[in-house]
Each structure stands twice: as structure tokens, then as C-alpha cells.
Amino acid sequence: MRGVHAPGPGNVDAVTTPGELSAPQEPGPARPEIMGVLNVTPDSFSDGGRYLDFSDAVAHGEQMGAEGADLIDVGGESTRPGADRVDPETEIARVVDVVAALCERGLAVSIDTTRAAVAAAAIGAGASVVNDVSGGLADPDMARVVADTGVRWVLMHWRGHSADMQRLQHYENVVADVKAELEDRVEAALDSGVDRSKLILDPGLGFAKSAAHNWRLSAHLDEFVALGFPVLFGASRKSYLGKLLEDESGKPRPVGEREAATLATSLLAFEAGAWGVRVHDVAGTADARAVWMATRQAR
Ligand code: PMM
């Protein structure tokens, strides 16, 4: 293991006035990032089909930027459990013009893809972050594209494509296993020449994880932060929240009614020191972040 536990970025700038004791060091950034989800797909579980049209997608990206998103996460392939794959040409065609249009409007864009060719096309159109839910496992060329272009790279914990991921949910200890598998992905990235300052880690809620696994990972997010890399947390509207809030007949809370629960997860992630959250409701998250930042400053 090569230096995975180095001190992390984004540790606090404690603000003190003369005579005051300096604040204890708190983990994570003083202003966490908000990544707004923009799925240009017909079949994503939450926003599938809503932004397939170019102008709808760009308008929604712009709106999320105006609401406080620091990054717009554009995806052209659904990662919903059981989803079929699309071919790379279709994925590129869905995302490239949207990425270019958002970048032209001054927004920072990440490309949510597991394919090096899609990442390269999106970077060519202006994307500055690759959000790779496979952590570099799905495409052996991804590390080279990231290393050559110098963009940031989200390495999410992943065990297999959407069609198979439900049967890959076996862990001895989900927190320890996911951390160890992410550390392996970090090693592989560094070995491929990717600069460690470009890496962001994500425990990958819902990807080969049961609801119980998601709760354990959320509860121990601080242990991921302690690995020394920025940590991204993506719980927004996921099915474990629907299950938590099921009605008396056992029917899960519908996807569109999981926003308050999502905001609660975001606040907990900020408290745990996360670098950022990936969410559908940017406006609400920006308000929650303002509350969290004011509370932290007042400590
Ligand atoms: N979840 C989804 C897609 N991309 N990327 C990261 N880094 N982390 C996640 O948890 C994540 C992701 C699935 O959610 P969606 O269908 O709403 O996009």
C-alpha cells in the first residue's frame, strides 16, 4: 500500500480571533461541493426520460448551476440495477453536445461514464471531471485518458455492471471490504500515472449493496474520509431511502418523495467530512449546505 493514508485535502481553515482558542480540527471541507445529476437517458431510475431532449437537458443543467451546483454530472447510460447497456456511440451522442453547451455557459461538468471513449469525447467538449462508477475497472483505457488529460477522477466502489450487480452483494464486513477494494483502485490509478491529487473516492451506495450495506457505509463515512482523499457521497433518492420510508402496506416511498430523506443524508455526509454530495435536488441541498456551513462557523 503506497501512501493511501496521506493527510487529506480540504481540512479546515479554522477562523479565530485574538484571545480565542483555535477551533479543533474538523474533517472535510468548510464548503462541500454539490454535484447536480443530469441523466440524458430514457431509463435512469429518478430522472430517466426527462432530459433526453438537448434543450431540456441544457436548461436543467443551467437551472442546477443557478441553484448552487458546483458541478453538473452528465450521464448517458443508466446504472439502475438490472439496466441494459447502451453502445458507446449512443452514449457519446447523448452527452457530448450537452457537455459542450454547459461548459460554454461557464458551468463545470463531470462526465458520468465507465467508458474511456465517452470520457475522452466529453473531456474534448470541456468536462473537467470523470465520474467513473466502475472505479476504473470497466475499461482498461480509462486510466490512460485520465492521466493524459489531467482531469479529476471519481473512483466509485463497484463490482460489476448493472445487469449483474445485485448478485455481487457479498461482504465479510462491508465497510472494511469497500475501503480495501477502493484502496486497490487507488493503487491501480497511481500505477497508471494518475496524479493522486486528482482522485476522489465514493463508496458507491446501491451498487452491489443491500439497504443494510448502504446504512453501514453511511454510518462509517468518516472512515472513508480518513483515507485521505476527497469523498463523494451519492444517496439521492436511492431505493434504501424508499424502503426506510415505506407505508404500512410495505410499499416503498415513491422516488419523487424521497427529498427530505436525501437532504438528511447530505447533512450527515457533510458532518462526516465528505467533499461533496451527488444529488437531484440542488436548490434544497444548497439551503441545507448553508445551514450546515453557518453552524460549523459558529462552533
Ligand atoms: N449513483 C448513480 C449514478 N452515478 N456516481 C457516483 N459517483 N456515485 C453514485 O452514487 C452514483 C453515480 C445512480 O443514480 P442516478 O440513476 O440517479 O444517476
Side-chain angles (χ1 to χ4, degrees), residues 207-279:
F207 288 78
K209 319 278 184 326
S210 67
H213 295 141
N214 291 336
W215 288 115
R216 289 258 301 145
L217 291 167
S218 307
H220 292 271
L221 198 63
D222 56 334
E223 293 186 35
F224 289 85
V225 173
L227 293 175
F229 292 87
V231 169
L232 177 64
F233 182 76
S236 188
R237 299 182 179 169
K238 285 188 174 168
S239 62
Y240 77 114
L241 300 177
K243 188 172 156 65
L244 176 76
L245 304 172
E246 67 188 12
D247 66 16
E248 286 121 51
S249 70
K251 190 166 145 281
R253 177 73 65 81
V255 172
E257 296 168 29
R258 299 176 187 168
E259 232 21 272
T262 299
L263 284 174
T265 68
S266 293
L267 275 180
L268 290 167
F270 297 157
E271 255 331 78
W275 165 84
V277 291
R278 179 182 180 278
V279 294

Side-chain angles (χ1 to χ4, degrees), residues 27-48:
R31 182 182 181 282
E33 307 280 313
I34 298 176
M35 181 190 257
V37 178
L38 180 55
N39 287 316
V40 191
T41 59
D43 55 347
S44 290
F45 82 95
S46 172
D47 56 354

Side-chain angles (χ1 to χ4, degrees), residues 39 45 79 112 131 133 154 156 202 207 232 234 238 278 280:
N39 287 316
F45 82 95
T79 50
D112 186 344
N131 176 23
V133 301
V154 178
M156 199 195 79
D202 183 333
F207 288 78
L232 177 64
K238 285 188 174 168
R278 179 182 180 278
H280 300 85

Side-chain angles (χ1 to χ4, degrees), residues 153-236:
W153 191 11
V154 178
L155 299 175
M156 199 195 79
H157 177 263
W158 181 90
R159 284 185 165 179
H161 284 290
S162 300
D164 322 303
M165 70 183 174
Q166 297 309 73
R167 62 175 182 80
L168 301 171
Q169 321 181 332
H170 302 290
Y171 301 90
E172 291 242 328
N173 171 332
V174 69
V175 176
D177 294 356
V178 170
K179 274 198 302 185
E181 288 170 37
L182 275 179
E183 287 183 320
D184 290 346
R185 301 319 307 149
V186 168
E187 284 280 295
L190 298 179
D191 287 345
S192 305
V194 175
D195 193 303
R196 63 177 299 122
S197 69
K198 304 293 180 187
L199 298 177
I200 298 163
L201 305 185
D202 183 333
L205 265 66
F207 288 78
K209 319 278 184 326
S210 67
H213 295 141
N214 291 336
W215 288 115
R216 289 258 301 145
L217 291 167
S218 307
H220 292 271
L221 198 63
D222 56 334
E223 293 186 35
F224 289 85
V225 173
L227 293 175
F229 292 87
V231 169
L232 177 64
F233 182 76
S236 188

